[in-house]
Amino acid sequence: EVLQHLPVIEDAANQKVTLQFRYFTATRGSEAMRHASVHRVLLGPPARFVATCHRSNTLKWFRVESVSDAKLDKREAFRDAATKGVDAYLRASLDGFHDASPSAEHSFFVSDPEARWVARNLLEEMRAEEVPGGIRVVLETSALNRLARFVVGLGAAAKPLTPALEAE
C-alpha cells in the first residue's frame, strides 16, 4: 500500500523522534536510507511531509509514496525547527515544491473561455481574480520552476505577467 508508512511518519512528528527511512529521490533516480526530523504531515493528495533533512540540515518536502521503509530512530538526535520557519517554508512552497530562491509574488493571465475551467482547478496556493477577458492568478512562492510548468501546461490561453515567471 502507498500510505503504509504514514502512521510511523506521523508518530515521528508527534513524538519528535527522528525518522529513519528508505526514500526514492526522483531527481537522482535512486533510493537511499535517510534520516529526517518530521515537522508537518500533509495528507494531500498526495500525502507528503516537511522535515529537516539530516543530510543537508535544511527543510525539505518528502512524498509518502516514495518511502519504502520507515522506523523511528531514537539514536539519532531530533533536529527541531522553529514553527515560524516551518510556516514560512510552507507558505513559500507550491504543490509540495520549494526552490532555494527567495519567495516573490508572481502572476499570470488566463483568457476566456479556458479561464472558467482554470479558476476551478488552481493549485491550493493560487488565487484568481476576474479581469476583462479572463482571470489574473496571483501567488507568492519560491517554487518558480513548478509554477512555470503549471503555466506552460495551460498552453496558449496562459500568459506570464511577471518578468521572472516569463523568463522561467
Side-chain angles (χ1 to χ4, degrees):
E1 168 164 331
V2 175
L3 300 180
Q4 70 181 10
H5 301 293
L6 186 57
V8 175
I9 295 166
E10 290 175 321
D11 286 348
N14 292 333
Q15 296 174 29
K16 293 191 177 285
V17 173
T18 297
L19 179 71
Q20 180 181 359
F21 60 111
R22 183 168 296 285
Y23 191 75
F24 177 79
T25 303
T27 54
R28 286 193 197 105
S30 65
E31 192 176 64
M33 277 310 252
R34 309 281 293 265
H35 281 94
S37 298
V38 181
H39 306 296
R40 299 280 170 80
V41 178
L42 292 95
L43 297 179
R48 52 188 176 240
F49 58 99
V50 173
T52 298
C53 172
H54 288 208
R55 191 180 293 168
S56 66
N57 204 35
T58 59
L59 290 174
K60 289 189 178 180
W61 281 103
F62 296 94
R63 292 175 71 121
V64 174
E65 66 191 30
S66 295
V67 173
S68 61
D69 186 31
K71 66 180 180 179
L72 301 181
D73 186 354
K74 294 182 179 182
R75 296 170 296 145
E76 178 82 16
F78 184 87
R79 299 181 190 177
D80 213 352
T83 300
K84 285 184 180 182
V86 175
D87 289 345
Y89 185 86
L90 288 167
R91 278 193 307 277
S93 296
L94 176 63
D95 195 34
F97 290 86
H98 189 283
D99 296 340
S101 59
S103 187
E105 185 171 279
H106 302 284
S107 63
F108 60 95
F109 172 79
V110 181
S111 59
D112 286 331
E114 291 87 348
R116 291 187 288 270
W117 177 87
V118 172
R120 296 175 58 102
N121 291 281
L122 292 172
L123 299 175
E124 184 179 330
E125 300 85 350
M126 299 176 174
R127 59 189 188 282
E129 56 189 44
E130 288 188 31
V131 295
I135 58 170
R136 178 176 181 257
V137 179
V138 180
L139 73 153
E140 185 165 329
T141 187
S142 76
L144 187 56
N145 184 270
R146 174 64 181 103
L147 174 59
R149 287 190 313 231
F150 181 87
V151 173
V152 166
L154 298 175
K159 179 183 182 321
L161 297 176
T162 50
L165 180 55
E166 186 171 24
E168 187 73 18

